[in-house]
Amino acid sequence: MREGRLARASEEFSDSLVSDHDVVEFLARLCQRFVKVMEISAAGALLTDRQGRLQAVASTETAAALQTLQVQRWQGPCVDAYRSGRRVAMPDLRRLRGRWPVFTPHALEAGVAAVYAFPMRLRTNRIGALNVFQATPGELDEAAVQAGQALTDVATIAILQSRAAQETTQLVGQLEHALKSRVVVEQAKGVLAERLGVDPDEAFTLLRRYGRVRGLHLTGLARQVVDGSITLDG
């Protein structure tokens, strides 16, 4: 049954690799699937933002406070998995001494007896971690560990692809803006060269000097020259 649930979850999240998706909503659904596929009590995700800061972005209801606590106090299984890039396994929190002095008592009070965390990484690129919580102590079996890692890997690829697509879109927009700016500047040079009887290079020098003296952006000034609202005659 677990293999079937894992296959369905992997297929569902693989579809996200080729379609637009909201990362927070994606991770929220992933946490829900973790609970079902791995037969655990709760799950949560920490993810780096654009500045590389780790944030609590999604969780099932009972894990939300513990995820936020890990980020605030910079300690806990998810933080350790993110920092090390390795899986973290703590099958009995009651036996833990000293490692997570703030997180552990809060987790035990919340009814969590065991925790596991899977790093979200692709080679050396670490972007977060996924945390699972159990109400009873005990080791996860190998099938559960492999299922957790498989879902984490799918999520990592999906998020990295989403970020790459956003960066590509932004770059394309910047290039389009640069090209449009160059076109309008070239048009302004032609207008000035004809109006003032100078060659295009001199026209460009005059355009830049006029803008620099008056604190005008070159592209905006060029548009005004083209539409005739600025002539540079005076």
Side-chain angles (χ1 to χ4, degrees):
M1 291 180 63
R2 176 182 287 157
E3 288 75 10
R5 291 194 295 266
L6 175 60
R8 288 192 295 273
S10 296
E11 182 179 356
E12 174 188 352
F13 294 121
S14 293
D15 289 342
S16 297
L17 301 179
V18 293
S19 62
D20 293 333
H21 60 271
D22 178 84
V23 169
V24 174
E25 191 273 337
F26 171 81
L27 287 174
R29 287 191 293 118
L30 181 67
C31 289
Q32 293 170 354
R33 294 297 182 273
F34 254 79
V35 171
K36 292 182 179 180
V37 171
M38 298 182 67
E39 300 171 351
I40 54 169
S41 302
L46 302 185
L47 188 69
T48 54
D49 61 18
R50 292 295 182 183
Q51 287 71 47
R53 298 171 299 199
L54 205 59
Q55 306 286 347
V57 294
S59 64
T60 53
E61 185 175 351
T62 55
L66 291 176
Q67 291 298 95
T68 301
L69 178 67
Q70 291 189 71
V71 173
Q72 291 175 339
R73 303 306 293 263
W74 198 241
Q75 65 171 251
C78 227
V79 171
D80 282 5
Y82 164 70
R83 289 193 297 191
S84 68
R86 301 186 185 93
R87 285 199 298 267
V88 172
M90 195 57 61
D92 193 346
L93 281 176
R94 299 170 302 178
R95 299 178 180 275
L96 188 62
R97 297 289 184 271
R99 183 172 180 179
W100 304 316
V102 176
F103 171 82
T104 300
H106 279 82
L108 291 171
E109 185 178 349
V112 174
V115 293
Y116 296 83
F118 300 84
M120 299 177 69
R121 66 181 178 87
L122 183 63
R123 293 184 287 276
T124 60
N125 192 357
R126 299 196 301 262
I127 62 171
L130 284 156
N131 213 159
V132 300
F133 303 88
Q134 291 187 157
T136 56
E139 297 274 0
L140 287 176
D141 60 48
E142 185 60 25
V145 172
Q146 293 303 318
Q149 192 61 65
L151 287 176
T152 301
D153 291 344
V154 169
T156 301
I157 294 170
I159 291 168
L160 288 173
Q161 176 170 302
S162 174
R163 289 183 173 181
Q166 291 172 3
E167 290 170 358
T168 299
T169 300
Q170 183 180 17
L171 178 59
V172 169
Q174 292 171 345
L175 290 173
E176 288 178 351
H177 176 73
L179 289 172
K180 289 178 181 177
S181 297
R182 178 168 181 173
V183 168
V184 75
V185 169
E186 290 298 320
Q187 290 173 339
K189 285 166 57 178
V191 169
L192 287 176
E194 182 178 353
R195 181 184 300 155
L196 303 178
V198 296
D199 63 47
D201 288 340
E202 186 175 352
F204 183 60
T205 299
L206 293 171
L207 187 69
R208 285 202 308 173
R209 183 184 304 149
Y210 187 94
R212 188 165 52 246
V213 170
R214 290 161 177 78
L216 299 175
H217 189 276
L218 182 62
T219 303
L221 173 59
R223 289 195 183 97
Q224 290 180 287
V225 170
V226 171
D227 66 25
S229 56
I230 292 180
T231 63
L232 268 70
D233 292 332

